[in-house]
Structures are given as C-alpha cells and as structure tokens.
Amino acid sequence: MWLLLSPTALEAPFLRGEAFSFLGRRGLRGEGFVYLETGVGKVNTALTLALWAAENPVERALLFGIAGAYEGSGLDLGEAVLVGEEVEADLGLEAGLKPLGFPAWEEEGVRYYNRFPLDPFLTEGLARTWGLKVVVGLTRDRISETPTEARLLSKRWGGQVESMEGAAFARACLALGVPGAELRAVSNLAGIRDKRAWRVGKALGALEAALLSLLQKG
C-alpha cells in the first residue's frame, strides 16, 4: 500500500478513489493507495505525514508534485525526475546549520544538518522502473523570485530542482522510519515567475504517466 502525498490537489487530478477529509484537506482511498493533500510548505508536509502515521501504518510513502528546475540542471520543462537527496537551504545561516553546531536530526551517530536522503532502495527501484534521472532537490519556504537568486542557490547547494516541501518530507520519513521517495515534474525554470513561460500541463502529464503506471503494477 502506497501513501501518496502532494502539496495541492491540483497536482493529483488523475487519481480516483473514495474521497475523505484529513486535516481539512482532500484525501482519497483507492486501489493500492491512500492519497493526502498536504498543503503547501514544509510545516504542512511534515505535519500531515506525521499525524497520519501516528494513527495509520505507512508501508511506503511517495511525495509528488511540480517543481522548478535550475538553469544548467540539464532538465527539460515537463520532465519527471526522482529526488535522491533534499537540501533544506533556509535552515540556519547562509552556509547552513553546521556552523551553528546543531544537527537538525541525529540517528545512530549520523548527524544531518541541511542534507537529507530519500530512501535509496525505493528511489533506485523507481528510477529503474520509470527510467528517470535521480537529482538533488533544494527546499525553501520562500522560493526563488529571480533568475539571479536561483543561480546563486543552485551554485551554493548543488540543487537541480526547487520545491517548498521536499526536505521536510525527507526529514519526517527519517524520523518516522518510513521508506520515502519523491517524484517531481518540472513546470518552470526556478526564478521565473511569469507563468506564461511555465508548462504546468506538461508536468502534470508526466506525473500522471508515472503514478498510474506505478499503481497498475501495485
């Protein structure tokens, strides 16, 4: 059974199931999956996953949605990718949390500051199944507003795609012991706020193709 999550229901119009409400947002129970709309941003995403997992067993979780790609990432508009590592780029100082000396999470002697892995076994398996690239994601509560800002962030952290939720999902999965993967489809170049240049429909088509093939295979 998959737990599927997306920031907005607009990113999951192709899912069909029995509707319900969770934390005042949309949920669906379908064949082989439960879907939850988390709401936008890190706090909403972490809370939704944690509160659901507190009352329901979670075998495996997949966060999906649209994202911006950084210039020079080699990614095309409409392309779907898997995120293998997430960077929480607005946590701590400009250089991150490590200079302050406090890890964001520590487990079995491993300290995590700003970089959080998604489950490698799950991610690599999905990458082979779908034939998708595995990239580095960058997460901030405030996304890039200009191309210059986006270039600086990408250079500093080595990110290829930008979202507002990925790192929170990765951190919550680590804390809860839930195998988690993240699927993103590129709707725009990061820092480009003119939506006439975006390709949201194409990105949603890529998400639909990947997820429906996943659910058909179980």
Side-chain angles (χ1 to χ4, degrees):
M1 176 74 73
W2 283 97
L3 176 62
L4 304 178
L5 308 103
S6 70
T8 70
L10 298 175
E11 290 158 300
F14 44 83
L15 292 178
R16 298 290 181 268
E18 179 186 352
F20 67 96
S21 178
F22 185 69
L23 303 180
R25 298 191 180 93
R26 187 185 185 206
L28 292 172
R29 289 185 176 89
E31 187 173 349
F33 75 92
V34 171
Y35 163 77
L36 300 175
E37 176 188 10
T38 67
V40 173
K42 292 186 291 184
V43 172
N44 281 332
T45 300
L47 280 176
T48 299
L49 176 56
L51 291 173
W52 179 266
E55 298 182 358
N56 304 274
V58 179
E59 180 182 347
R60 50 193 175 176
L62 177 71
L63 174 68
F64 68 93
I66 61 174
Y70 290 112
E71 183 181 352
S73 65
L75 303 178
D76 297 322
L77 294 182
E79 183 174 355
V81 296
L82 285 156
V83 180
E85 179 186 54
E86 276 286 357
V87 177
E88 191 169 357
D90 57 0
L91 180 62
L93 304 173
E94 186 174 296
L97 192 59
K98 194 170 185 178
L100 296 177
F102 302 103
W105 179 253
E106 186 171 357
E107 185 175 42
E108 297 180 352
V110 179
R111 292 185 172 188
Y112 299 92
Y113 292 92
N114 294 77
R115 295 180 179 274
F116 308 96
L118 281 301
D119 185 86
F121 179 79
L122 193 57
T123 300
E124 290 163 11
L126 291 174
R128 287 192 299 269
T129 297
W130 288 330
L132 300 182
K133 299 172 186 174
V134 179
V135 304
V136 176
L138 189 149
T139 304
R140 296 201 309 163
D141 280 322
R142 186 180 65 80
I143 57 178
S144 299
E145 296 184 59
T146 67
T148 298
E149 182 181 15
R151 282 193 294 270
L152 289 172
L153 284 167
S154 177
K155 183 177 180 180
R156 181 179 300 131
W157 296 104
Q160 291 156 282
V161 295
E162 179 180 277
S163 76
M164 299 173 68
E165 299 84 20
F169 173 74
R171 286 180 65 184
C173 286
L174 281 173
L176 296 167
V178 171
E182 182 182 358
L183 171 70
R184 292 286 180 173
V186 178
S187 58
N188 59 286
L189 285 177
I192 302 297
R193 307 312 309 155
D194 182 355
K195 292 189 177 180
R196 291 173 297 181
W198 292 25
R199 297 295 180 267
V200 174
K202 192 173 182 181
L204 291 178
L207 292 176
E208 178 177 4
L211 283 165
L212 294 186
S213 71
L214 178 68
L215 295 175
Q216 287 168 2
K217 293 178 181 178

